[in-house]
Amino acid sequence: MLYESRGARPRVDPDALVAASAIVSGDVTIGAGSRIMHGAVVTAEDGPVVIGADVVVLENAVIRGRARYPAIIGDSVMIGPHAHVNGCVVGEGAFLATGSSVFPGATIGDGAEVRINAVVQVNTRLAAGTVVPISWVAVGDPAQLFSPDRHDEIWAVQRTLNFVGTVYGAGPEATMADIMRSQSEFYGEHRRDTTLPG
C-alpha cells in the first residue's frame, strides 16, 4: 500500500516492486529493481527515505526517515526480515541481517555486514567492509565492537552519543512522560494520511 503522508507521496520506479501487504508512506523514493516484500514498512516520518537500485527489503523490516536523519540506502543492499533501519546511511552492497538494528545518525560503510540481531547505535560510523558479529553491538565514531555481555563498556561509549537528543529531539532533563507526549503528538499526524491508488 502506498500512502501520502505529511504532504508527500512515494516515488516508486516502474521496475521496482512493492508487495501488496507492504506499507510505503510519504517522501520515499524507491529505485529500479528494488523489492519491498510482505509486511515491510518504509516510512518517511518527517525526513525522506531514499532506496537505491536492486535493494531487497525482506518481510517485516522497518525503514524510517527522520527530519535530521534521512534514511539513505545505497544500491545492492540486502535488508533482512525484522531489521530496523532508522534515520541512517547504508552504503552500497551492505548486508543487514535478520533482526539487525541501525539507529539514527549511524553510517554503514560500503560492503559492511550487520549480522543477525546485531546493533549499530546512534551516531556510530561503521567502516566499509566491517562485520558486526551475531548479536554484537557497534558503538562510537569510529565504531568499536562489543559482545552483548559487555554492557558497561558499551554504555561508556554510548552515553556520549546523545541517544535521547538524536532519537527523540529531547534534552537530557526530559522525562519519559515528556518524550511520550511529544511522540504521541508526532505520530498522531498519520491521521491525515491518504491511501494512494496502485
Side-chain angles (χ1 to χ4, degrees):
M1 299 282 293
L2 303 179
Y3 290 92
E4 181 173 331
S5 183
R6 301 178 194 270
R9 292 176 171 221
R11 292 163 305 284
V12 180
D13 187 277
D15 188 45
L17 168 70
V18 176
S21 63
I23 303 286
V24 177
S25 176
D27 186 7
V28 175
T29 302
I30 300 174
S34 288
R35 309 295 185 235
I36 312 300
M37 300 313 296
H38 292 284
V41 176
V42 181
T43 180
E45 288 303 337
D46 53 351
V49 175
V50 178
I51 295 175
D54 299 320
V55 172
V56 175
V57 179
L58 288 173
E59 293 80 8
N60 302 309
V62 174
I63 301 174
R64 177 174 285 126
R66 308 180 68 95
R68 295 184 310 159
Y69 304 100
I72 310 294
I73 313 299
D75 295 342
S76 305
V77 169
M78 169 67 78
I79 298 177
H82 301 281
H84 178 234
V85 181
N86 189 352
C88 59
V89 175
V90 179
E92 186 173 317
F95 174 68
L96 307 181
T98 300
S100 59
S101 298
V102 184
F103 284 90
T107 300
I108 307 296
D110 292 350
E113 297 182 23
V114 182
R115 295 205 171 149
I116 297 170
N117 295 328
V119 174
V120 180
Q121 267 299 347
V122 298
N123 301 316
T124 291
R125 183 169 301 276
L126 195 63
T130 301
V131 174
V132 183
I134 293 171
S135 296
W136 279 43
V137 177
V139 61
D141 182 2
Q144 298 177 57
L145 304 179
F146 296 98
S147 59
D149 61 322
R150 295 168 63 189
H151 177 267
D152 291 343
E153 293 168 81
I154 295 167
W155 179 242
V157 179
Q158 183 181 341
R159 71 178 173 207
T160 68
L161 299 177
N162 189 23
F163 185 93
V164 172
T166 300
V167 175
Y168 301 114
E173 71 290 340
T175 66
M176 195 62 179
D178 296 333
I179 292 168
M180 295 320 305
R181 193 167 25 259
S182 171
Q183 291 294 290
S184 175
E185 180 179 324
F186 176 74
Y187 289 112
E189 286 295 314
H190 284 290
R191 287 186 187 121
R192 296 180 178 88
D193 290 0
T194 57
T195 306
L196 298 172

